Amino acid sequence: MSVSSLTQTGIDPSGAGSATELPKCGFIGLGDMGRPIAARIAGAGFPLWLWARREASLDGLLRDHVQSSPTPRELGATCDLIGICLRTDEEIFDVVLRQPDGLLHDMRPGTVVLIHSTVLPETIFRLNEELQARGV
C-alpha cells in the first residue's frame, strides 16, 4: 500500500499515531521471496501477523508488532491486508480454502488479499470468485 493510498483511506502513513490506526497486515509464505517482503512490512512499523508451515521460518521476524498466527484462519480473521507468496497454485488454494482452518473462513468483508506468487490466471480468477462471495 502506498503512502498516497494510506492517505486516501484516512490512515496516517507516518506512523505518528498509534499502531491501531495502521492496517493490520498478514503474510503467508516466508521463503526466498516472501521473507524479504514481510521484513519490509515489519520494518515500516505495520502491525503484522505471520503464518508459516515451518516454525523455523519465523526466526528473526517476531518482535513487538510482529506475531505469529497459529492457523491461516486466525490470520484471516485478524488482518485487513494479507499478502500471500507461495510456490504453487495448489499451495495457495490449500492455504485459502482448506477445511477447517483456511484463510477465507473468518475473513471480514473489505479485507484485501494480495497474491505475490507467479500462478495461473485461472487461479486468480477462482480465488477472486471465492473471495468476492464473502465481500473480500
Side-chain angles (χ1 to χ4, degrees), residues 2-128:
S2 70
V3 170
S4 62
S5 298
L6 288 172
T7 303
Q8 291 170 0
T9 61
I11 296 168
D12 179 7
S14 70
S18 71
T20 58
E21 293 177 11
L22 295 171
K24 295 176 183 172
C25 300
F27 208 88
I28 296 174
L30 301 171
D32 291 341
M33 289 176 50
R35 184 178 181 86
I37 297 169
R40 292 285 295 194
I41 295 167
F46 288 90
L48 179 62
W49 281 259
L50 304 171
W51 181 80
R53 289 189 169 128
R54 295 178 307 108
E55 185 123 357
S57 298
L58 299 168
D59 289 349
L61 290 173
L62 303 179
R63 52 184 101 156
D64 292 339
H65 63 285
V66 182
Q67 52 194 300
S68 66
S69 289
T71 66
R73 184 176 190 152
E74 186 172 309
L75 187 144
T78 303
C79 298
D80 305 306
L81 304 168
I82 301 167
I84 300 174
C85 191
L86 298 169
R87 293 182 308 163
T88 68
D89 302 74
E90 293 77 21
E91 288 176 341
I92 292 173
F93 285 130
D94 177 54
V95 164
V96 174
L97 302 176
R98 73 169 150 190
Q99 298 290 337
D101 64 350
L103 183 67
L104 177 64
H105 300 296
D106 288 335
M107 289 176 75
R108 292 168 281 131
T111 302
V112 176
V113 177
L114 307 159
I115 306 293
H116 300 276
S117 308
T118 303
V119 294
L120 295 170
E122 292 81 9
T123 297
I124 301 302
F125 296 141
R126 179 174 166 207
L127 285 175
N128 185 51

